[in-house]
Each structure stands twice: as structure tokens, then as C-alpha cells.
């Protein structure tokens, strides 16, 4: 006959790894995961800046050419309805595709007389459709690329509601 199987439970084995070692490993893993998530947001914001910068750069050329040839800036207008005489300088072709490529929806406009940069300052303004911390972060990164990185000074200014880029005559 076979020997009977013992009904005595086996002793619970204790993990030989110290508890501080396991806690440290868990904390390092959590910090790494947090950094990867934060890096994802930073990279996303930096990728969203390029299309906005392209619109600001592309709209400058026809506006400055208009200024140099006519010795005056165009009247205030929304980019959705630019003046007909500005289209002769290729304004629609210059800004249409870059605006379509923007990840942040919003209103683009040009103003001269009622500029947030001061009276009689030619300014291109971008107002996000939903001004929030995400669009503000993108505009602050854009300020670093186009200007001095300080939202209250320079040729590119950022507020809670818009980003404004002052044009020069050259």
C-alpha cells in the first residue's frame, strides 16, 4: 500500500527581500511612469507650436509687402474675410493651408488701430476658440520661439485670451 498523503499544511514561505527594497522599487517605477506621462504632454505641446508659428510667419510676408507698396497697413480684418486688395499679394494662399494644419482652433485677425500692443501697431492676433491652460501653454512656447519668452514684453505677447504678434515694417 501507498503511504497516506500528509494533511499537514506546508509552512508559508517568507520573501527574503527586505520591505524597504520593495518600496524603493515601487517608488522608482511610479516616478518613471509619471515622468513619461509628463514628457508626453511637453512633446505634444511643442508639436502643436509649429503650425501656429507657420501662420504667424506666412502672414507677415503679404502684410509687409502691402505696407511697403501702399505706404499704409490694411484696415482691421479677420483672416476668414481678408480684404480683396490684400489677396493680390497672395495672402489667402499664404495662410490657408497653415491655418488648416493648426491643432488649436481659433480666430485669426489683423488689427492696426485698436491693437493690444498700443495704438497704430500692426498686430496679428490669435484667439483660441477655448482659451484654457493648454492653449496658453502652447502660446507661451510660441513666445519662446518667436520672441523673448516673456509673455508681457516683446513683439509677441500672451494673455489669458490671445496671443498677439507685432509686425515691423521690414
Amino acid at each position: 500500500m501507498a503511504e497516506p498523503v500528509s494533511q499537514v499544511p506546508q509552512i508559508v514561505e517568507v520573501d527574503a527581500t527586505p520591505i524597504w527594497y520593495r518600496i524603493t522599487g515601487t517608488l522608482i517605477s511610479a516616478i518613471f511612469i509619471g515622468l513619461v506621462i509628463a514628457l508626453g504632454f511637453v512633446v505634444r505641446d511643442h508639436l502643436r507650436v509649429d503650425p501656429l508659428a507657420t501662420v504667424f510667419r506666412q502672414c507677415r510676408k503679404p502684410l509687409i509687402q502691402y505696407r511697403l507698396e501702399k505706404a499704409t497697413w490694411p484696415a482691421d480684418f479677420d483672416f476668414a474675410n481678408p480684404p480683396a486688395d490684400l489677396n493680390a499679394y497672395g495672402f489667402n494662399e499664404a495662410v490657408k493651408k497653415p491655418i488648416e494644419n493648426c491643432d488649436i482652433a481659433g480666430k485669426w485677425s489683423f488689427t492696426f488701430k485698436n491693437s493690444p500692443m498700443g495704438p497704430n501697431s500692426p498686430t496679428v492676433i490669435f484667439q483660441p476658440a477655448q482659451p484654457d491652460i493648454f492653449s496658453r501653454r502652447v502660446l507661451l512656447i510660441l513666445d519662446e520661439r518667436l520672441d523673448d519668452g516673456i509673455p508681457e514684453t516683446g513683439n509677441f505677447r500672451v494673455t489669458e485670451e490671445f496671443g498677439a504678434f507685432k509686425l515691423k515694417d521690414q
Side-chain angles (χ1 to χ4, degrees):
M1 275 203 211
E3 291 186 29
V5 177
S6 172
Q7 299 294 346
V8 180
Q10 292 183 342
I11 299 175
V12 177
E13 293 185 26
V14 178
D15 190 4
T17 309
I19 193 162
W20 65 267
Y21 186 78
R22 285 184 277 154
I23 290 173
T24 304
T26 303
L27 285 174
I28 290 172
S29 298
I31 290 170
F32 178 74
I33 291 170
L35 288 174
V36 167
I37 291 171
L39 180 66
F41 284 115
V42 170
V43 168
R44 183 196 67 181
D45 289 345
H46 279 272
L47 290 175
R48 294 170 86 187
V49 167
D50 289 336
L52 288 173
T54 302
V55 174
F56 280 110
R57 289 180 181 135
Q58 292 298 322
C59 74
R60 279 180 75 236
K61 296 171 188 174
L63 288 169
I64 291 173
Q65 185 177 1
Y66 181 97
R67 162 77 168 120
L68 293 174
E69 289 185 16
K70 302 231 179 189
T72 185
W73 290 100
D76 297 357
F77 67 93
D78 188 346
F79 280 25
N81 299 315
D85 56 344
L86 189 59
N87 287 333
Y89 298 96
F91 184 79
N92 277 345
E93 295 81 21
V95 299
K96 185 177 180 182
K97 186 160 177 85
I99 287 176
E100 289 173 357
N101 291 338
C102 286
D103 293 336
I104 301 174
K107 178 184 172 192
W108 291 88
S109 60
F110 173 81
T111 184
F112 179 64
K113 296 189 190 247
N114 301 321
S115 171
M117 302 291 220
N120 297 328
S121 294
T123 307
V124 175
I125 299 174
F126 173 68
Q127 295 174 307
Q130 296 178 335
D132 55 11
I133 189 68
F134 302 112
S135 60
R136 180 166 168 78
R137 234 182 12 230
V138 170
L139 289 172
L140 290 172
I141 295 168
L142 184 60
D143 185 26
E144 291 175 7
R145 287 211 188 152
L146 295 178
D147 196 30
D148 58 0
I150 303 169
E152 296 85 18
T153 63
N155 289 328
F156 188 84
R157 300 201 184 156
V158 178
T159 67
E160 297 294 327
E161 293 145 11
F162 62 82
F165 185 58
K166 181 179 178 182
L167 300 176
K168 298 178 186 175
D169 285 342
Q170 329 150 13

